[in-house]
Amino acid sequence: HIMAVKAGSESHNQRLQNLNYVREDLSYLNSSFVLASIADTRKQIETRYQESTGQKMQAKQTPIREGVLLIDEKHNADDLKRVAKQLEERFGIQTIQAYAHKDEGHRNKETGEWKPNYHAHMVFDWTEKNTGKSLKLKREDLAEVQTIVAETLGLERGQASTTVSYT
């Protein structure tokens, strides 16, 4: 799923807030890379956009997006860097932050057994580098993004959706 980045994304991803579904004793297993903050990236995009078009970016624009992907217990930030490289080479999508989370999950109510939710967050600059205008990806492109992620991480490709489209 790729959506506009949420206001609390960085604090969640960097574990700056306490969450009842996070086991802090497992947080050492998490890994990440951060190239830039969301706020700094947004300012740079807005500047590029204004210089390119002569007008301010509309408030409703979503130039920074976040994708959440399922991973295995073996994946880490280095694997996410490989995904980021593939996405940038193919679509021009620059990953500014990525986090592999291995400390989230829940306990089975009957057995008390911990069920981890291994996943990663990737935060993207979703703009053309010269203009600051949003990248326009078609449904087929987004399906290819999913394929690239699965192939790069050695995961099984999920079922293709017929109802969701992002641009």
Side-chain angles (χ1 to χ4, degrees):
H1 294 63
I2 298 174
M3 305 167 64
V5 71
K6 293 183 172 72
S9 177
E10 274 176 316
S11 63
H12 167 83
N13 290 337
Q14 295 175 7
R15 298 299 189 242
L16 302 177
Q17 58 193 30
N18 289 331
L19 304 164
N20 63 1
Y21 52 87
V22 168
R23 282 189 45 190
E24 292 181 12
D25 62 315
L26 299 177
S27 293
Y28 75 94
L29 297 170
N30 295 345
S31 59
S32 63
F33 70 88
V34 176
L35 302 179
S37 73
I38 291 171
D40 288 347
T41 301
R42 173 85 190 201
K43 286 177 195 166
Q44 292 170 358
I45 292 168
E46 288 174 352
T47 299
R48 275 198 320 263
Y49 184 87
Q50 188 159 7
E51 288 172 354
S52 158
T53 65
Q55 54 190 339
K56 286 189 174 185
M57 180 177 280
Q58 294 180 5
K60 67 179 181 175
Q61 291 292 102
T62 57
I64 302 176
R65 302 191 185 176
E66 181 171 10
V68 178
L69 48 136
L70 298 178
I71 59 173
D72 285 340
E73 66 278 355
K74 68 179 186 263
H75 293 117
N76 59 35
D78 289 336
D79 298 308
L80 300 177
K81 285 178 184 176
R82 290 194 345 263
V83 171
K85 183 175 189 273
Q86 294 292 323
L87 295 177
E88 187 159 10
E89 286 176 1
R90 175 64 181 94
F91 297 107
I93 301 168
Q94 183 187 17
T95 304
I96 61 168
Q97 300 176 0
Y99 305 85
H101 285 163
K102 299 179 183 180
D103 57 355
E104 291 183 41
H106 68 277
R107 292 203 180 276
N108 181 304
K109 289 181 180 162
E110 295 172 11
T111 66
E113 182 182 350
W114 175 254
K115 176 76 172 137
N117 173 17
Y118 299 123
H119 65 282
H121 297 260
M122 295 185 75
V123 181
F124 307 109
D125 173 345
W126 203 267
T127 62
E128 295 176 7
K129 299 303 154 252
N130 296 329
T131 65
K133 292 181 180 181
S134 288
L135 294 169
K136 304 293 184 203
L137 272 62
K138 297 180 175 87
R139 178 189 303 271
E140 306 83 51
D141 296 327
L142 292 164
E144 187 177 344
V145 166
Q146 291 179 325
T147 300
I148 288 169
V149 169
E151 288 176 355
T152 304
L153 296 179
L155 298 170
E156 186 176 325
R157 170 70 163 84
Q159 197 98 11
S161 171
T162 58
T163 59
V164 178
S165 173
Y166 300 96
T167 56

